[in-house]
Amino acid sequence: MKWFVVYTKPNFEIKVAQGIKSIGIKSYCPVYTQIKQYSDRRKKVKKPLLPSFVLVYLSEQDRPKVFSIPGVV
């Protein structure tokens, strides 16, 4: 078992991490909260710390499963 880095489409990091977890593989996508100011309100938005990357902990034989997740490049 090793940590791998998965390259994703832009703004798909959190969705890809959730998809990988749903098939039973450990994944890690560090995020931070940013407050966005719009003209009528303020909103807290989660942004990835590593844009276009998700860290995945798996074995060599599970690698093809990760590429079936939408958003993985």
Side-chain angles (χ1 to χ4, degrees), residues 1-72:
M1 302 282 275
K2 292 190 219 178
W3 283 100
F4 291 93
V5 177
V6 175
Y7 186 71
T8 66
K9 291 181 181 178
N11 301 319
F12 269 72
E13 301 87 356
I14 297 170
K15 293 174 190 171
V16 167
Q18 290 171 350
I20 291 171
K21 284 182 183 178
S22 71
I23 61 172
I25 297 174
K26 276 186 172 180
S27 67
Y28 180 64
C29 180
V31 295
Y32 66 95
T33 305
Q34 182 180 30
I35 298 175
K36 292 287 230 176
Q37 178 68 47
Y38 298 103
S39 62
D40 60 340
R41 67 191 187 300
R42 298 175 93 189
K43 186 174 182 179
K44 290 183 182 178
V45 179
K46 289 187 179 181
K47 301 288 255 176
L49 195 59
L50 305 170
S52 297
F53 293 107
V54 175
L55 303 172
V56 181
Y57 187 69
L58 50 79
S59 61
E60 282 287 331
Q61 66 233 18
D62 291 334
R63 282 183 67 200
K65 291 181 187 176
V66 172
F67 295 105
S68 66
I69 304 295
V72 175

